[in-house]
Amino acid sequence: MKEQLQHAVNDQIRAEFESAYIYLAASARFDAQGLNGFAHWMRTQWEEETVHALKLYDFLLQRDAQVELQALSKPELSFETPLEAFEMVLEHEQYITGRIYELYQQAVDARDYPLQNLMQWFIDEQVEEEDSVRAILDDLRLVGDSGATLLLLDRELAARQLDPGA
Ligand code: FEO
């Protein structure tokens, strides 16, 4: 596997772990606010991001390429309300989607077919992730200032389970 691509995949491992870290921090904040369903959703997302990072990690090992784990940035949360939190999540996932497209293009340019296949999986995953976040954002916009409805949504999010295909 070309060295430049190995670096790019290692950097994406960092980005996935940093995503995980952001969601874990968000989970703690929701827990402190008593919104346990939102906290659970964020914690499940933390788990999914860890799965993504390990998918890339295992891919490097299978290709006999070098794994170089990098330092992670401290997560900075720029939200107070659930609506602001999910706006942050959507923006973050769109950033990750952009990174995945970039990595896919690098794999195409290098004619690295196995990496292209893997990136196709991530491209599909990003479509699903952005879609589910948009659905929650739609709900949050409908909820508005209603505390009672927010609690119902909190209960709904408490039911989220880790996607086995994630
Ligand atoms: Fe691993 Fe949320 O993208």
Side-chain angles (χ1 to χ4, degrees):
M1 197 175 167
K2 288 192 172 148
E3 207 168 307
Q4 194 192 346
L5 280 185
Q6 294 184 42
H7 285 312
V9 174
N10 273 299
D11 201 45
Q12 189 58 27
I13 292 175
R14 175 194 57 75
E16 299 291 344
F17 275 130
E18 281 187 350
S19 300
Y21 227 30
I22 289 169
Y23 293 127
L24 193 60
S27 178
R29 180 170 294 184
F30 277 128
D31 196 275
Q33 291 175 351
L35 289 168
N36 295 336
F38 282 93
H40 171 78
W41 191 96
M42 289 290 177
R43 190 173 170 132
T44 308
Q45 190 63 26
W46 159 74
E47 217 171 340
E48 275 209 4
E49 299 302 348
T50 305
V51 172
H52 295 171
L54 290 177
K55 215 177 240 296
L56 295 161
Y57 169 94
D58 286 335
F59 177 79
L60 285 179
L61 293 181
Q62 279 179 334
R63 300 284 307 276
D64 203 20
Q66 189 143 4
V67 169
E68 271 181 293
L69 296 180
Q70 299 171 20
L72 303 181
S73 308
K74 179 173 189 269
E76 301 292 348
L77 300 180
S78 56
F79 71 85
E80 296 299 330
T81 65
L83 178 62
E84 288 169 357
F86 277 85
E87 282 169 346
M88 177 205 78
V89 170
L90 183 59
E91 197 177 314
H92 181 72
E93 288 304 331
Q94 285 168 336
Y95 159 72
I96 294 292
T97 299
R99 292 186 59 98
I100 296 291
Y101 288 177
E102 188 59 40
L103 198 44
Y104 179 81
Q105 190 57 50
Q106 284 184 28
V108 169
D109 294 345
R111 296 188 173 198
D112 189 316
Y113 302 111
L115 184 58
Q116 286 175 36
N117 268 347
L118 181 65
M119 283 305 106
Q120 192 60 58
W121 182 89
F122 274 88
I123 288 168
D124 294 343
E125 175 68 12
Q126 286 306 117
V127 170
E128 274 180 33
E129 286 209 351
E130 287 189 25
D131 183 50
S132 66
V133 172
R134 279 198 196 92
I136 296 169
L137 267 175
D138 285 345
D139 287 349
L140 282 166
R141 289 192 181 112
L142 283 174
V143 164
D145 293 331
S146 162
T149 319
L150 185 65
L151 269 186
L152 283 179
L153 184 56
D154 187 61
R155 291 216 180 118
E156 194 181 308
L157 296 183
R160 181 181 178 186
Q161 292 186 342
L162 182 67
D163 177 357

